[in-house]
Amino acid sequence: MYSDLNGKVAVVTGGSKGIGNAIAKRFGGEHMSVVINYHTDEVGAQKAAKVVEDEGGRAAIVQADISTEEGNKKLLDTAIHEFGGLDVWVNNAGMEIKSPTHKVSLEDWDKVIAVDQRGVFLGSKTALDYFVSNDKKGNIINMSSVHEQIPWPTFASYAAAKGGVKLFTKTIAMEYANQNVRVNAIGPGAINTPINAEKFADKKQYDKTVSMIPMDRIGTPEEVAAGAAWLASDESSYVTGITLFIDGGMTLYPAFKDGEG
Ligand code: BGC
């Protein structure tokens, strides 16, 4: 546990499932107050809130579309009115749609960019505005991916969004570094979450993914949440503008692992 996190207030977007859910739980274990955002999965969000409380934290759930300004404002308002302010904002919500790029509809392209990139901008803007206007120390964590670095054919919209998140994170980290706000990204690799459930249910695809990971296994949401807790805490007080890859080595060019090339 990180003692400085005790009593801090966090917003976690997309907190009803997967990595966001694990981050909410971990923040509960740090005795934080957590605003859990969900889009459609109200039951998942309620369960997540119960877990946060069981872990020793406080929780509020908020339905909101994080690709809109009103959605993000709703999250900040809840943090302020329910818990008295904001310390940590995690832009976690994300989605991906697979399609050969020459077949991607404009609608699907816009949908992915709206959630994965515009949502990160709007969430960061909302949090930054609160931190700066209140002259308050702040912390922003953006969920990126190994695909901010590794090209991903048939997922061009996702890779384009995550590549954008990478430089957006670094840019605002620099812009607000001397105003007591730290901004970092996390780049998960293949993690056992609902976004991957269908793919990993297929043994061939599962084995193929594992073969691309030097550590020979899929990661857990808790392993990503551990990184989020560290970035949120003062233990990482001199860290800003990084992407912390939590990927079992997936970004290390695993095709070279036998010394060939
Ligand atoms: C994606 C997963 C994928 C992983 C590794 C993540 O960003 O959400 O679907 O398995 O990257 O390719």
Side-chain angles (χ1 to χ4, degrees):
M1 276 182 74
Y2 299 105
S3 56
D4 64 283
L5 290 181
N6 196 322
K8 293 268 161 64
V9 181
V11 166
V12 180
T13 69
S16 61
K17 49 172 102 58
I19 290 171
N21 195 327
I23 292 173
K25 178 179 178 192
R26 175 65 195 248
F27 282 180
E30 300 288 345
H31 297 173
M32 297 171 75
S33 300
V34 191
V35 177
I36 300 168
N37 155 251
Y38 68 97
H39 189 213
T40 51
D41 186 5
E42 186 175 0
V43 174
Q46 280 163 349
K47 281 191 193 147
K50 167 101 177 48
V51 170
V52 167
E53 284 163 3
D54 289 348
E55 292 287 319
R58 296 196 294 163
I61 66 168
V62 180
Q63 194 288 328
D65 177 353
I66 54 86
S67 69
T68 67
E69 286 189 301
E70 313 80 72
N72 285 283
K73 186 173 179 311
K74 226 164 134 184
L75 298 177
L76 177 64
D77 287 349
T78 306
I80 293 170
H81 296 131
E82 297 277 326
F83 303 128
L86 176 75
D87 301 287
V88 179
W89 186 292
V90 184
N91 289 304
N92 166 78
M95 64 177 295
E96 60 198 41
I97 299 176
K98 181 178 173 66
S99 169
T101 303
H102 66 289
K103 297 284 186 202
V104 175
S105 68
L106 185 55
E107 199 194 347
D108 280 356
W109 177 273
D110 284 346
K111 220 192 276 177
V112 172
I113 299 293
V115 174
D116 293 359
Q117 195 176 75
R118 181 175 1 131
V120 171
F121 155 63
L122 288 174
S124 300
K125 179 184 168 184
T126 306
L128 286 167
D129 188 45
Y130 172 83
F131 296 141
V132 173
S133 314
N134 292 281
D135 202 9
K136 226 186 135 177
K137 174 178 169 180
N139 194 303
I140 297 173
I141 299 170
N142 294 330
M143 203 51 65
S144 184
S145 162
V146 290
H147 298 297
E148 69 162 48
Q149 180 174 312
I150 305 175
W152 203 18
T154 71
F155 288 95
S157 53
Y158 185 79
K162 297 300 185 180
V165 166
K166 169 186 168 173
L167 264 192
F168 175 72
T169 300
K170 289 185 188 304
T171 297
I172 61 172
M174 193 183 318
E175 197 170 332
Y176 295 93
N178 63 4
Q179 294 176 67
N180 219 2
V181 179
R182 292 192 295 120
V183 189
N184 292 289
I186 295 179
I191 309 295
N192 214 346
T193 62
I195 216 173
N196 288 318
E198 207 179 307
K199 182 167 62 184
F200 292 166
D202 176 344
K203 171 130 176 48
K204 237 176 94 190
Q205 285 201 58
Y206 181 87
D207 290 347
K208 171 82 183 157
T209 302
V210 170
S211 77
M212 294 158 71
I213 306 167
M215 286 178 73
D216 283 336
R217 68 172 177 85
I218 303 296
T220 67
E222 290 72 26
E223 289 174 310
V224 181
W230 178 70
L231 286 173
S233 81
D234 285 343
E235 286 292 301
S236 62
S237 55
Y238 204 46
V239 177
T240 199
I242 67 160
T243 294
L244 176 62
F245 287 111
I246 302 179
D247 67 350
M250 200 177 216
T251 39
L252 299 177
Y253 295 90
F256 285 81
K257 73 178 171 207
D258 296 322
E260 290 176 13

